[in-house]
Amino acid sequence: MTRTDCDSGDDALLEPLGGMVLYPVPESVGRARRWFRKFTEPHQLGCSIDDCVLMVSELVTNAILYGEADEPWRVRVRWYRLGEALRVDVHNPGCPAHVRLRSPRATEAHGRGLLLVDALEPCAGSGGLLPVSGRGGIGKGTPG
């Protein structure tokens, strides 16, 4: 899993709000968007739900595209309230060392996922993603 600089590091303050387990197929991206929106709506979050849905979509897409395992696997998505912020964790099998922020050219079809997520994330200028363990995944915080 990876963590952003803006995470407090105190997981005891995390309030679990929901989660889902998805098959690593393209149809799961739309399912993640729909269910994330449905499950977060009652919590009246202070952040833009549209921005959060876009972030979840990009993270799940990357998890599906770049997950690697010798046996069948799933993508796990969990979201938490952290004070006034929303933390979203997306896990897949694979090595987080391969996760990197790119600056694709306008003509490239791929490579914008983490760039969009980074633009939506409040600590975008603070150094990006930091590895904290050997499991694949991304953790991002959004402003409250």
Side-chain angles (χ1 to χ4, degrees):
M1 185 180 126
T2 55
R3 180 176 290 166
T4 61
D5 287 344
C6 62
D7 285 340
S8 71
D10 190 354
D11 288 347
L13 299 176
L14 292 176
E15 175 189 348
L17 297 180
M20 64 185 103
V21 178
L22 303 162
Y23 288 100
V25 296
E27 296 81 16
S28 290
V29 177
R31 185 171 292 117
R33 286 191 300 260
R34 288 189 302 277
W35 284 102
F36 179 82
R37 186 178 295 278
K38 180 177 181 167
F39 289 148
T40 57
E41 191 174 338
H43 296 286
Q44 300 176 345
L45 301 172
C47 55
S48 164
I49 295 301
D50 290 338
D51 287 350
C52 293
V53 168
L54 175 60
M55 179 178 63
V56 166
S57 179
E58 293 299 328
L59 291 173
V60 170
T61 297
N62 282 352
I64 290 169
L65 289 175
Y66 302 112
E68 299 174 357
D70 292 334
E71 65 260 357
W73 57 278
R74 303 288 187 270
V75 174
R76 291 183 335 227
V77 183
R78 293 187 180 129
W79 51 93
Y80 311 85
R81 185 186 310 267
L82 179 60
E84 295 300 314
L86 177 71
R87 176 173 158 171
V88 176
D89 292 341
V90 176
H91 298 266
N92 67 328
C95 181
H98 300 298
V99 175
R100 63 185 174 88
L101 185 64
R102 295 185 51 216
S103 296
R105 289 178 262 195
T107 57
E108 291 183 79
H110 300 284
R112 290 175 183 77
L114 289 180
L115 185 63
L116 288 171
V117 170
D118 202 53
L120 293 172
E121 200 263 323
C123 303
S126 66
L129 303 170
L130 300 174
V132 293
S133 78
R135 289 186 290 172
I138 301 294
K140 296 300 281 186
T142 61

